[in-house]
Amino acid sequence: VSTQSTGALTLGWAPTFVGYSMQGIGKFGFYELFKNVYSGILGEENAYIYRTSMYLAASASAEFFADIFLCPMESVKVRIQTTPGWETTLRAGAPRIMREEGINGFYKGLSPLWARQIPYTMMKFACFEKTVELLYKHVVPKPRSDCSKLEQLAVTFTAGYIAGVFCAIVSHPADSIVSKLNANPGGGVVSAAKELGFAGMWKGLAPRIIMIGTLTALQWFIYDSVKVAFRLPRPPPPEMPESLKRKLAAQ
């Protein structure tokens, strides 16, 4: 591999690392927060009945705030990777955007980033939660409480990969538009979409499915492993509350 090719592979690594680290911490942290908040608002029975809607609302709320952390770094990263002759490092790229465009330059892509990431994260969390529930119900031959930590983490990885596949499909068109916008700072969302066309917005989906599936599985695996390592609460898949069972039995 030539020196130039090796450099190209690592272009934008710093804003990618910083941005997605901040976004990931915010996303998972805010998700747990909003899930608890919405669960408390709904009450035990409704939180179970409408749990998928709760997952969707909590993940959308979490991603809304997490993207505010990500957007500046995403703006620097995409310009480094897609604009010939532009800066090649975070420490040079960020000041240049501030100097030439001001703070708005960092957040120009926020709306399309929300359009890409919020559906992505809603699918990521809701699909993961439901897949875990279904795996323990129909695939794993014993209750979660009887599974070893390694077996539980294997379920987490599998559910994460399945969720990642759906995430990639849902978010791919908006991801293509975001990349186009950052590569052409003077354009808008509608013009970028028209320039790409329907086929262009879906170009590269197959490798993205493989990449996002693997990354999502690893994210959930690491997140769950951290909980195991620090003995943090790891609630089992939701079960119908006893009060709701009694109500249904009485009908």
Side-chain angles (χ1 to χ4, degrees):
V1 180
S2 68
T3 303
Q4 185 176 2
S5 298
T6 303
L9 290 173
T10 59
L11 268 181
W13 73 267
T16 300
F17 177 78
V18 174
Y20 281 93
S21 294
M22 293 192 299
Q23 186 222 28
I25 292 169
K27 181 189 312 191
F28 282 92
F30 281 128
Y31 176 69
E32 297 290 353
L33 171 65
F34 282 113
K35 191 165 68 167
N36 285 335
V37 169
Y38 295 153
S39 177
I41 292 172
L42 290 171
E44 185 182 29
E45 293 182 5
N46 284 331
Y48 174 80
I49 295 171
Y50 302 109
R51 59 192 182 281
T52 302
S53 297
M54 183 179 68
Y55 301 148
L56 292 169
S59 56
S61 302
E63 188 63 40
F64 178 89
F65 291 101
D67 284 347
I68 295 173
F69 302 145
L70 170 63
C71 195
M73 296 297 103
E74 182 77 356
S75 180
V76 176
K77 181 203 77 171
V78 172
R79 294 183 197 198
I80 287 173
Q81 293 178 341
T82 62
T83 306
W86 209 73
E87 308 295 348
T88 58
T89 63
L90 172 60
R91 65 177 178 270
R96 178 171 175 176
I97 292 176
M98 177 61 78
R99 184 173 61 252
E100 294 178 354
E101 302 177 49
I103 193 69
N104 289 336
F106 290 107
Y107 288 99
K108 179 181 179 181
L110 183 57
S111 294
L113 187 63
W114 276 331
R116 179 188 77 183
Q117 290 295 129
I118 289 178
Y120 171 95
T121 299
M122 291 170 72
M123 181 64 71
K124 174 179 181 175
F125 282 88
C127 185
F128 173 81
E129 298 273 18
K130 294 299 291 184
T131 302
V132 167
E133 188 178 334
L134 292 171
L135 286 174
Y136 279 115
K137 186 175 181 180
H138 300 293
V139 179
V140 180
K142 53 186 174 182
R144 179 178 180 270
S145 56
D146 293 339
C147 295
S148 67
K149 291 292 190 295
L150 187 60
E151 289 171 332
Q152 291 177 20
L153 289 172
V155 171
T156 295
F157 185 88
T158 302
Y161 201 99
I162 293 170
V165 170
F166 288 98
C167 288
I169 295 170
V170 166
S171 66
H172 193 72
D175 183 64
S176 299
I177 292 172
V178 169
S179 296
K180 190 71 174 176
L181 277 174
N182 282 293
N184 299 282
V189 174
V190 175
S191 61
K194 286 181 177 178
E195 189 174 343
L196 285 167
F198 183 81
M201 285 190 285
W202 292 100
K203 187 178 180 180
L205 178 59
R208 180 174 165 81
I209 285 175
I210 295 171
M211 181 186 73
I212 296 298
T214 304
L215 288 175
T216 304
L218 288 172
Q219 284 178 339
W220 278 111
F221 185 83
I222 292 168
Y223 181 61
D224 213 20
S225 297
V226 169
K227 284 188 169 184
V228 170
F230 289 95
R231 300 181 183 276
L232 298 174
R234 299 172 63 243
E239 294 183 1
M240 185 180 294
E242 290 299 324
S243 58
L244 186 56
K245 289 180 181 178
R246 290 194 294 269
K247 287 181 180 179
L248 293 174
Q251 290 178 357

